[in-house]
Amino acid sequence: MKVLAVIVTYNAMQWVDRCIGSVLDSAMKADILVVDNGSSDGTQGYIREYFPSVELVEPGSNIGFGAANNIGFRKALDGGFDYVYLLNQDAWIFPDTIGTLAEVFSRSEGYGILSPFQADASGVTPDRRFAQKAGSLEGVGMVKEVRFIMAAHWMVSVDCIRTVGGFAALFAHNGEDDNYCDRARFHGFKVGVCPQARGVHDRASRPLTRADRIRLSTLTGNMARLADINRPLWERVLSSFFVSTWKCVKYCSLRPLKNYFSVTGRLGEIRSLREESRLPGRILL
C-alpha cells in the first residue's frame, strides 16, 4: 500500500519539525511531498537541509491551499499511490494514525475521505471546529459518517480523487474542503471520522476575530453553499440570503448582506463549477 503525505507550507518554521517529523515517525511509511506557497521565513531552505528525503515543490508564489494540494493529487495519480494524506503545516500525526485509517478504509465500504480525531495542541481536547462538525463520538465503532470534516487531516483514496478530481479554483484559501466533501458525496463517496485514529491541529493561538467569523459564514460559507451540487441552486441562493440576513442581526452589521451580493455576483462562475463537478475527474490541475 502506497501513501503520499502532502503538506502545504507558508512560513511554517514554527511547526515544520513536528509536522514533517511526525510523518517520518509513522509506523506505516509514507512518501512526503511539501508544496511551499512562497514562504519568506526560510521554510524551504530548512526543509532542504534537514529533511533531504522530502520532495519539495516551489510554485514560486502563493497559489492557495487547494491548488497546492492538487499538485499532490496529481503526483498520487501519476505515481501509483493508493491514498493521499493531507496534513496542515500546523498539524501532526501519531505513529499509528495512517495505519489505523488505512485499516478502516480496508474494512469499510464506500468511504472516500477519512479523518482521525482532530485534537487541539493538548493532544486530548477536540479542536473547536472538529467538535462542531463531528458531533458526539461516544459509542462510535470504527467510523462515523459525517457530512463534512476539515482538511487539516484527511486521508483520501486515489479512487475518490480519480472520480471527484481536485480542489476547485473558485476557493483559494477557505471553503475548498466544504466543496470537496459536497462533491465527494455527490459522486457516491462517504466522508468519515475514525475515533481510534488521532491527529493534532495547533491553532488555538490564532482565534477567529469578529471580521473572520463574518467572512467565513457569509462570504466563504455562501460560496460553498451555492456550489453544493447536492441541492438545487435556487434553494441555495434563498438559504444563503436568509443566513446572511440573520447574520446582519447577529453581528449588528450590513457586511453579511454585502458579502451575499458579492457572492451572487459570481453566479456565472458558480454555475460553471456545478456543471464541471458533475463530470468525473474534471476538476484537477
Side-chain angles (χ1 to χ4, degrees):
M1 182 180 296
K2 291 182 65 178
V3 179
L4 176 66
V6 180
I7 303 167
V8 178
T9 56
Y10 179 76
N11 294 340
M13 286 299 295
Q14 179 180 349
W15 302 283
V16 67
D17 280 318
R18 194 154 196 182
C19 177
I20 296 178
S22 72
V23 182
L24 291 174
D25 290 339
S26 173
M28 175 174 282
K29 296 306 176 186
D31 290 9
I32 304 175
L33 173 70
V34 172
V35 182
D36 186 81
N37 271 339
S39 293
S40 59
D41 67 345
T43 295
Q44 309 98 318
Y46 188 86
I47 291 172
R48 281 192 293 267
E49 181 174 358
Y50 293 100
F51 298 101
S53 65
V54 170
E55 181 179 355
L56 176 64
V57 174
E58 299 179 58
S61 62
N62 191 342
I63 62 174
F65 178 84
N69 275 307
N70 282 352
I71 294 174
F73 282 171
R74 174 53 63 192
K75 177 179 174 64
L77 290 173
D78 294 342
F81 288 87
D82 300 295
Y83 298 100
V84 174
Y85 196 101
L86 301 186
L87 182 63
N88 266 29
Q89 66 176 16
D90 58 352
W92 56 89
I93 60 174
F94 295 89
D96 63 346
T97 303
I98 293 177
T100 300
L101 292 173
E103 181 181 359
V104 174
F105 260 119
S106 69
R107 297 172 60 185
S108 305
E109 292 290 333
Y111 282 92
I113 302 169
L114 291 179
S115 165
F117 174 92
Q118 296 186 27
D120 63 15
S122 71
V124 178
T125 305
D127 169 79
R128 59 175 184 263
R129 287 201 69 209
F130 178 83
Q132 295 169 356
K133 299 301 181 181
S136 173
L137 297 176
E138 185 176 353
V140 174
M142 287 193 306
V143 61
K144 175 183 179 180
E145 184 177 359
V146 294
R147 178 189 172 278
F148 165 79
I149 205 68
M150 301 77 62
H153 289 272
W154 270 12
M155 194 164 177
V156 190
S157 72
V158 168
D159 286 341
C160 180
I161 297 169
R162 190 175 291 114
T163 301
V164 179
F167 290 104
L170 192 64
F171 301 90
H173 293 286
N174 291 110
E176 58 279 287
D177 47 358
D178 297 80
N179 177 252
Y180 199 91
C181 286
D182 289 339
R183 288 160 46 213
R185 291 186 297 104
F186 175 82
H187 286 285
F189 291 95
K190 295 187 288 187
V191 180
V193 170
C194 305
Q196 293 83 6
R198 295 178 300 140
V200 172
H201 190 190
D202 179 19
R203 58 174 172 180
S205 62
R206 304 183 306 284
L208 292 176
T209 65
R210 178 175 178 271
D212 289 334
R213 290 194 294 272
I214 293 174
R215 175 180 56 82
L216 288 171
S217 63
T218 61
L219 191 62
T220 304
N222 282 343
M223 189 75 76
R225 201 171 289 114
L226 267 60
D228 181 3
I229 54 175
N230 297 289
R231 308 292 289 273
L233 181 57
W234 66 266
E235 179 185 307
R236 302 283 81 190
V237 170
L238 284 177
S239 65
S240 293
F241 176 77
F242 290 129
V243 168
S244 300
T245 302
W246 160 240
K247 296 292 184 179
C248 283
V249 176
K250 178 178 179 179
Y251 291 111
C252 297
S253 170
L254 291 177
R255 176 55 60 184
L257 272 180
K258 291 180 180 178
N259 288 343
Y260 168 80
F261 288 116
S262 175
V263 171
T264 55
R266 303 179 67 183
L267 279 179
E269 296 174 76
I270 293 169
R271 285 194 181 94
S272 294
L273 172 58
R274 289 170 64 94
E275 292 171 5
E276 288 185 334
S277 297
R278 297 175 185 278
L279 305 176
R282 180 69 175 270
I283 301 171
L284 191 62
L285 287 179

